[in-house]
């Protein structure tokens, strides 16, 4: 089958390459053409050379390239660049992952506003073709570990950090700033145009991607996993009585998914523009002149309007369980206080904590229950692992991450008695 080498973007009308191979062949001249098209490079300036080009891998999107360039004239332009493509034509996961890049491109184009409320990498080019399910994003590249910027953080290994609290406080403040900027009217209708929010849209009411029979199978696998490797579900999370109650209540989440989403979306004061995956591995960090940790945000796939609680859980879903037990209440208070102080509506703290519990129930049920199968597929003798810090598990991203996401989901379910909340809300409904 023949595939195009270039497509026309929906948002800018600019023709752009579909793969890093085509971009590399075009070289400095093609980068110049793209940057001129988006007016991120002055008409009388050009990319004069590419001095470094390296492909690297990570995440669910397509190929990623680190590029260093020079310009005829400096103009304060970033010389270290990052390019990200959607998955290539013929990739079996292209249909699943590619559409997520469209909102990320829309956000990147909006982020060129001079008063954009959170730090993001400077956008040099961004566009997406919905007809071809193809996108390209080129931004500045963050120099982790240099010039006061902290080294990059990995997902699901917070136990290696001395003090993660300043990191999560910085992310919480960023959630509040972005949401309040939107709710304060500063985007002047751009969010409603680029990221419309329609709580009556049935597609927004069905996120859990399986039926009751499939859920029962996943729960049976979880029970078997817990019996074989209780050391991987610590602090009593492998207890049969707990898992039995959990299975009963999580079935209610599936049964009443639509009404639970309606409750989240119906909390109008808590709905705003959010980055749904603000886990610290999707950010960079530095301390300001007063020593306070600040953060910038990466990887905006799926950005849009939603309940703040969804973004809050996305930020904390891979943290340490004992960290959440100590700091959840204070971080929620920080979020709501900064949201109101920055121009957003006031949100009742008890109602918001309920939103958090509902978000954990819905998103955890949708995405966290495949961990036992994924881990067993990568490490068939998983029962021999000592715990989640076992080197064999530490060195494998997918099973390491999935296990910790599951542990946090179960731990928060138990700590916050999410089952009781689901029973109350579904009975009331």
């Amino acid at each position: 089958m023949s595939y195009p080498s270039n497509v026309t973007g929906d948002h800018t009308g600019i023709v752009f390459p579909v793969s890093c191979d085509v971009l590399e062949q075009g070289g400095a001249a093609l980068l110049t053409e793209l940057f001129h098209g988006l007016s991120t490079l002055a008409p009388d300036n050009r990319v004069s050379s590419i001095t470094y080009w390296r492909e690297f891998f990570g995440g669910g999107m397509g190929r990623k390239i680190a590029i260093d360039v020079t310009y005829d004239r400096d103009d304060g332009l970033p010389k270290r660049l990052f390019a990200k493509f959607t998955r290539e034509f013929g990739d079996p996961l292209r249909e699943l992952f590619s559409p997520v890049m469209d909102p990320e491109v829309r956000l990147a184009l909006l982020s060129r506003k001079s008063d954009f409320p959170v730090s993001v990498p400077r956008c040099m080019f961004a566009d997406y073709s919905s007809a071809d399910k193809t996108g390209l994003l080129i931004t500045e590249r963050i120099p982790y570990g240099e010039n006061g910027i902290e080294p990059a953080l990995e997902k699901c290994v917070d136990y290696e950090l001395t003090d993660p609290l300043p990191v999560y406080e910085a992310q919480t403040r960023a959630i509040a700033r972005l949401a309040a900027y939107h709710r304060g009217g500063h985007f002047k209708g751009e969010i409603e145009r680029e990221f419309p929010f329609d709580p009556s849209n049935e597609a927004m009411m069905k996120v859990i991607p399986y039926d009751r029979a499939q859920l029962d199978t996943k729960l049976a696998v979880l029970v078997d996993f817990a019996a074989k490797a209780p050391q991987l579900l610590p602090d009593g999370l492998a207890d049969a009585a707990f898992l039995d109650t959990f299975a009963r209540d999580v079935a209610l989440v599936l049964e009443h998914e639509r009404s639970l989403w309606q409750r989240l979306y119906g909390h109008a004061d808590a709905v705003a523009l959010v980055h749904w995956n603000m886990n610290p591995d999707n950010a960079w960090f530095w301390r300001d002149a007063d020593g306070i940790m600040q953060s910038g945000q990466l990887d905006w796939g799926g950005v849009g309007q939603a309940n703040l609680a969804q973004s809050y859980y996305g930020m904390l879903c891979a943290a340490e369980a004992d960290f959440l037990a100590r700091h959840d209440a204070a971080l929620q208070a920080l979020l709501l206080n900064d949201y109101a102080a920055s121009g957003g509506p006031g949100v009742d703290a008890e109602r918001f904590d309920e939103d958090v519990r509902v978000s954990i129930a819905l998103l955890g049920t949708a995405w966290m229950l495949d961990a036992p199968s994924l881990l067993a597929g990568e490490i068939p003798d998983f029962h021999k692992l000592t715990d989640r810090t076992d080197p064999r598990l530490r060195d494998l991203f997918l099973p390491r991450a999935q296990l910790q996401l599951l542990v946090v989901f179960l731990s928060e379910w138990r700590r916050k008695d999410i089952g009781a909340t689901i029973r109350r809300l579904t009975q009331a409904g």
Side-chain angles (χ1 to χ4, degrees):
M1 184 176 294
S2 177
Y3 298 117
S5 57
N6 297 277
V7 299
T8 301
D10 295 342
H11 307 297
T12 69
I14 298 170
V15 175
F16 66 88
V18 303
S19 73
C20 61
D21 297 328
V22 180
L23 182 62
E24 186 174 18
Q25 291 167 11
L30 180 51
L31 288 174
T32 298
E33 181 180 337
L34 294 173
F35 298 167
H36 279 165
L38 202 60
S39 299
T40 52
L41 182 68
D44 60 346
N45 198 1
R46 69 185 182 96
V47 178
S48 51
S49 68
I50 295 175
T51 61
Y52 178 79
W53 181 282
R54 181 178 68 85
E55 182 173 2
F56 62 96
F57 299 89
M61 200 50 72
R63 296 165 70 181
K64 300 175 176 66
I65 314 295
I67 309 170
D68 289 356
V69 301
T70 62
Y71 303 93
D72 279 359
R73 190 175 65 249
D74 184 275
D75 284 354
L77 295 164
K79 299 180 178 64
R80 298 181 184 182
L81 302 177
F82 164 78
K84 175 167 71 171
F85 289 87
T86 42
R87 287 175 177 256
E88 296 187 351
F89 289 100
D91 188 312
L93 294 178
R94 176 181 173 82
E95 293 292 318
L96 175 64
F97 281 99
S98 292
V100 177
M101 195 172 183
D102 189 19
E104 182 172 17
V105 160
R106 295 171 187 265
L107 189 282
L109 294 171
L110 280 179
S111 74
R112 295 179 298 156
K113 294 170 63 73
S114 60
D115 60 344
F116 196 73
V118 295
S119 296
V120 295
R122 182 170 176 177
C123 175
M124 297 299 292
F125 180 82
D127 213 336
Y128 182 84
S129 166
S130 55
D132 300 287
K133 290 186 172 60
T134 297
L136 170 60
L137 176 66
I138 305 176
T139 69
E140 69 174 312
R141 192 167 80 247
I142 303 304
Y144 287 105
E146 301 177 23
N147 304 318
I149 295 176
E150 299 284 324
L153 298 179
E154 292 188 73
K155 187 186 289 291
C156 297
V157 289
D158 279 12
Y159 60 82
E160 296 179 348
L161 300 179
T162 302
D163 181 13
L165 181 58
V167 164
Y168 285 101
E169 288 175 334
Q171 290 297 81
T172 300
R173 292 193 300 270
I175 293 174
R177 283 199 306 273
L178 178 66
Y181 186 90
H182 167 217
R183 291 303 303 268
H186 301 290
F187 281 111
K188 302 186 186 333
E190 292 170 305
I191 300 306
E192 282 60 40
R193 183 179 68 250
E194 298 295 337
F195 305 100
F197 180 71
D198 178 8
S200 66
N201 183 349
E202 288 298 320
M204 296 177 64
M205 307 295 173
K206 181 58 181 172
V207 175
I208 301 173
Y210 42 79
D211 59 25
R212 176 60 188 270
Q214 292 168 316
L215 173 62
D216 288 343
T217 298
K218 294 176 190 296
L219 292 171
V221 171
L222 172 60
V223 169
D224 181 65
F225 176 84
K228 291 178 178 176
Q231 74 278 15
L232 300 180
L233 297 176
D235 302 322
L237 295 177
D239 180 75
F242 164 68
L243 291 177
D244 182 63
T245 303
F246 169 77
R248 180 196 67 200
D249 291 335
V250 85
L252 288 175
V253 176
L254 177 63
E255 180 183 354
H256 296 277
E257 180 181 10
R258 189 176 189 279
S259 66
L260 292 171
W261 281 118
Q262 287 177 324
R263 185 169 183 83
L264 279 181
Y265 298 146
H267 190 184
D269 287 343
V271 172
L273 182 67
V274 298
H275 182 337
W276 70 275
N277 188 10
M278 285 180 65
N279 192 262
D281 71 304
N282 287 328
W284 76 96
F285 299 89
W286 70 95
R287 291 189 179 273
D288 64 18
D290 296 321
I292 298 172
M293 190 73 80
Q294 304 294 335
S295 65
Q297 311 308 317
L298 304 162
D299 197 6
W300 290 79
V303 60
Q305 294 188 64
N307 190 300
L308 291 173
Q310 296 168 248
S311 183
Y312 180 76
Y313 177 51
M315 175 188 73
L316 289 168
C317 64
E320 297 297 303
D322 61 341
F323 173 88
L324 289 175
R326 294 194 307 273
H327 299 294
D328 176 32
L331 289 172
Q332 285 195 38
L334 175 63
L335 172 58
L336 299 186
N337 288 339
D338 276 25
Y339 181 48
S342 300
V347 174
D348 178 77
E350 287 189 14
R351 173 65 190 273
F352 183 72
D353 186 62
E354 179 183 278
D355 289 350
V356 171
R357 282 176 269 143
V358 172
S359 296
I360 292 171
L362 288 164
L363 298 173
T365 302
W367 305 119
M368 309 312 184
L369 294 178
D370 285 323
S373 297
L374 289 168
L375 198 155
E378 295 270 355
I379 308 176
D381 60 343
F382 63 87
H383 60 282
K384 295 181 180 179
L385 295 168
T386 56
D387 57 25
R388 57 182 282 246
T389 67
D390 189 299
R392 287 200 298 159
L393 189 56
R394 172 64 178 85
D395 294 339
L396 291 172
F397 170 75
L398 184 61
R400 178 192 84 216
Q402 288 295 315
L403 176 62
Q404 176 60 4
L405 293 169
L406 174 64
V407 166
V408 172
F409 174 43
L410 295 175
S411 178
E412 287 297 276
W413 186 286
R414 184 181 62 185
R415 182 180 72 86
K416 298 174 81 69
D417 200 2
I418 290 174
T421 298
I422 298 303
R423 291 192 299 274
R424 174 173 56 82
L425 293 179
T426 55
Q427 289 166 4

